[in-house]
Amino acid sequence: EQRRFGEALLLLIDRAEDMQKPVIVGRIIAALACGKIEQEKALRISSMVDRCYSSDLAHLTQFVDGAQSNETTPIAQSLFSAGFLSNCGFDGGDASGGNSGVIYAKNEYGDLLVRYGLP
């Protein structure tokens, strides 16, 4: 099982389109080695990082749960698609029609990535 895990990580690192992702995956693996993350979650997070646009990942460190502004909605959608955010419903907004949209919240994988994978 360790060999299969190592092979999967090497494939993820080899596919990385920039130099940030291998660093993030390396931090996740270091957390696994220290017993802070389970192997299944470490592999899942590493795979999720591979599917995400690198600069979107940085937004997780400052992400605020709730409906997103026009500027952050595409980033939240990307992070949701990768699996780092959960969809918590829809906010109809206030009387002026502002502050409406899908309500996103950081989930367990987003929290683990922020805690162990991002600077």
Side-chain angles (χ1 to χ4, degrees), residues 28 36-37 41 45 108-117:
I28 295 297
K36 297 176 181 176
I37 301 178
K41 289 180 181 178
I45 292 168
E108 177 186 15
Y109 297 111
D111 286 335
L112 289 171
L113 180 62
V114 169
R115 189 174 312 137
Y116 300 115

Side-chain angles (χ1 to χ4, degrees), residues 1-111:
E1 183 158 328
Q2 287 177 335
R3 180 180 173 172
R4 192 179 67 201
F5 178 75
E7 289 171 351
L9 287 176
L10 287 174
L11 288 172
L12 286 172
I13 291 170
D14 186 51
R15 275 197 323 226
E17 76 270 358
D18 62 37
M19 294 308 295
Q20 284 181 305
K21 289 183 179 181
V23 171
I24 294 168
V25 170
R27 288 180 180 140
I28 295 297
I29 300 312
L32 168 65
C34 293
K36 297 176 181 176
I37 301 178
E38 299 166 16
Q39 182 173 328
E40 173 66 27
K41 289 180 181 178
L43 186 56
R44 182 178 299 271
I45 292 168
S46 298
S47 180
M48 292 161 62
V49 165
D50 180 56
R51 292 191 309 260
C52 229
Y53 186 61
S54 292
S55 65
D56 288 354
L57 293 170
H59 288 276
L60 275 174
T61 60
Q62 300 164 4
F63 184 81
V64 177
D65 293 352
Q68 303 299 300
S69 68
N70 288 338
E71 298 83 38
T72 60
T73 296
I75 296 167
Q77 290 169 340
S78 170
L79 294 170
F80 169 73
S81 294
F84 293 114
L85 300 179
S86 295
N87 179 329
C88 296
F90 186 80
D91 184 351
D94 53 26
S96 67
N99 300 321
S100 64
V102 175
I103 300 170
Y104 292 104
K106 203 176 339 166
N107 60 27
E108 177 186 15
Y109 297 111
D111 286 335

